[in-house]
Amino acid sequence: MQNRRQFLKKAGITTAAAGSATLAAPYVRAQSPIRWRLQTYAGPALAEHVIKPAIDAFNKAANGEMEIELYFADQLVPTGELFRAMQNGTIDAVQSDDDSMAAPVDVSVFGGYFPFATRYSLDVPALFYKHGLAEIWQEAYGEVENVTWLSAGAWDPCHFNTKDPINSLADLEGKRVFTFPTAGRFLSRFGVVPVTLPWEDVEVAVQTGELDGIAWSGITEDYTVGWADVTPYFLTNNICGAWIGHFFANTERWNEVPEHLQELFRLATDSSHYYRQHWYWAGEADLRVNGEKMQLTTIPDEEWETVEAEAEKFWDEIAAEGGRRESVVKILRDYRELMRKAGPPYRYG
């Protein structure tokens, strides 16, 4: 028995090349784990929901083989520099939308909030994994050196939270608003003045008068990150039903990760996408009804229809740029028509 134990011990640390009877070398926990640095677009309070649970779960399940260090918005690099920092290896992975991190791909305009592209959060995974957007994103990022697109998911809808009440389109005129690049480009058609600031400076900018409001989230985030304390009004109309965000990795670092850990990371990102589906959905309804910090206002439907009509023109302008942008707009339009034909609960009216 002692000899058998000695044989098994020796066999377990012998390489496979030594012979067909050799046992595979087991993973040794004492080996140095793979270490990644991942930066999210989200500040600390928001990251507690949109990514931290998934990364904590990954680190636990990786069982010492890999460890991901999570960094928050602008903590290592400004959000607008996330793409380049990941590409050159300063950070290993990113959670963000294409738009705000200035991804050099033609589909980046659809990241974040593309006006009226979605009605509900479930539209995002449906569009990517049943209607062809995933293949388009894979193709686009496949042309970019050293960055791998991993997955897409939905966040919250895009509403206005403001210092003064918004009851008509005229009330938006001249308002200085923190928002995303493409959303700001669209909203400027209605007199909104888009402002770009580091995420952590937004609350103070509202207090000092540098900003009149924010068009960056739904009401769940307003309460979670503290904006509800400085913007007492919430506009129930939204310009998009869900933010489109993604997980990305530096390609060289991704390829160094064993296949089983790659699969574990994908499962963790799916967990993050799933958590947000119910967290936002529940929060948006509950805080509209039970939240005590923000007063709800609404622009009448007949007036808001002019905003939706302007979005059609915006879509046409983007599609006219050709290539993948034209293909994405066609998918969005085909999907919207399918949802309309399906009727409630997919689309009402």
Side-chain angles (χ1 to χ4, degrees):
M1 180 62 71
Q2 183 65 26
N3 289 339
R4 184 167 179 263
R5 288 174 179 164
Q6 289 175 346
F7 168 76
L8 290 174
K9 182 177 180 181
K10 291 178 181 178
I13 59 174
T14 304
T15 62
S20 60
T22 303
L23 300 180
Y27 169 76
V28 180
R29 189 181 180 88
Q31 292 175 349
S32 297
I34 299 167
R35 294 191 182 277
W36 269 17
R37 300 199 299 177
L38 186 158
Q39 183 169 312
T40 175
Y41 74 95
L46 182 59
E48 284 290 332
H49 292 278
V50 301
I51 188 170
K52 191 175 183 298
I55 297 304
D56 288 346
F58 174 87
N59 287 338
K60 182 177 181 179
N63 198 33
E65 294 184 63
M66 184 170 173
E67 183 176 342
I68 298 175
E69 298 172 358
L70 178 61
Y71 295 88
F72 307 125
D74 306 308
Q75 194 171 359
L76 294 178
V77 298
T79 296
E81 299 175 15
L82 275 176
F83 187 91
R84 295 303 182 190
M86 173 175 50
Q87 190 176 45
N88 64 31
T90 302
I91 52 180
D92 304 299
V94 163
Q95 181 200 44
S96 179
D97 67 290
D98 330 64
D99 194 27
S100 59
M101 73 173 189
V105 292
D106 52 2
V107 294
S108 64
V109 68
F110 301 102
Y113 293 119
F114 189 68
F116 298 97
T118 58
R119 181 71 64 86
Y120 308 116
S121 57
L122 278 175
D123 290 337
V124 175
L127 280 162
F128 271 83
Y129 299 108
K130 293 296 183 181
H131 292 269
L133 291 192
E135 289 78 8
I136 292 177
W137 257 249
Q138 287 171 342
E139 178 184 87
Y141 282 96
E143 297 173 358
V144 178
E145 183 179 1
N146 212 25
V147 169
T148 297
W149 173 82
L150 295 174
S151 68
W155 274 252
D156 50 340
C158 185
H159 292 261
F160 286 84
N161 51 300
T162 54
K163 294 169 68 175
D164 300 318
I166 305 297
N167 294 297
S168 69
L169 288 179
D171 292 336
L172 292 174
E173 186 73 34
K175 292 291 189 294
R176 294 160 297 181
V177 174
F178 173 71
T179 190
F180 292 86
T182 297
R185 176 178 162 188
F186 175 69
L187 291 172
S188 65
R189 300 180 179 216
F190 305 96
V192 171
V193 180
V195 178
T196 300
L197 290 171
W199 189 90
E200 68 269 18
D201 294 343
V202 171
E203 184 173 342
V204 173
V206 173
Q207 292 173 304
T208 60
E210 186 178 354
L211 288 175
D212 300 303
I214 302 164
W216 203 83
S217 70
I219 199 169
T220 308
E221 288 190 15
D222 293 337
Y223 276 79
T224 300
V225 307
W227 291 340
D229 297 324
V230 296
T231 54
Y233 296 98
F234 179 84
L235 182 65
T236 60
N237 311 78
N238 69 60
I239 66 162
C240 193
W243 188 74
I244 298 174
H246 313 275
F247 284 91
F248 305 87
N250 174 282
T251 302
E252 291 179 0
R253 294 291 282 150
W254 176 250
N255 290 340
E256 292 171 0
V257 175
E259 186 176 355
H260 70 287
L261 291 176
Q262 287 185 349
E263 192 64 25
L264 182 61
F265 186 74
R266 291 185 185 277
L267 289 170
T269 63
D270 283 346
S271 171
S272 172
H273 296 322
Y274 170 71
Y275 179 97
R276 291 190 314 275
Q277 286 282 349
H278 61 77
W279 183 63
Y280 280 121
W281 185 259
E284 296 301 300
D286 178 63
L287 289 169
R288 284 193 185 200
V289 176
N290 298 313
E292 299 179 350
K293 296 180 179 180
M294 306 182 82
Q295 180 179 332
L296 306 184
T297 67
T298 301
I299 295 175
D301 289 345
E302 59 272 18
E303 192 173 0
W304 193 249
E305 287 174 2
T306 65
V307 181
E308 296 192 36
E310 192 64 30
E312 289 296 315
K313 299 176 186 177
F314 188 76
W315 284 26
D316 289 338
E317 292 169 12
I318 298 300
E321 295 170 1
R324 280 185 288 257
R325 292 187 176 190
E326 183 178 11
S327 299
V328 172
V329 170
K330 184 180 186 307
I331 288 173
L332 293 177
R333 283 194 161 127
D334 289 347
Y335 177 80
R336 183 177 59 186
E337 184 60 23
L338 177 69
M339 295 296 103
R340 285 175 175 171
K341 289 180 178 179
Y346 299 97
R347 292 296 185 270
Y348 291 86

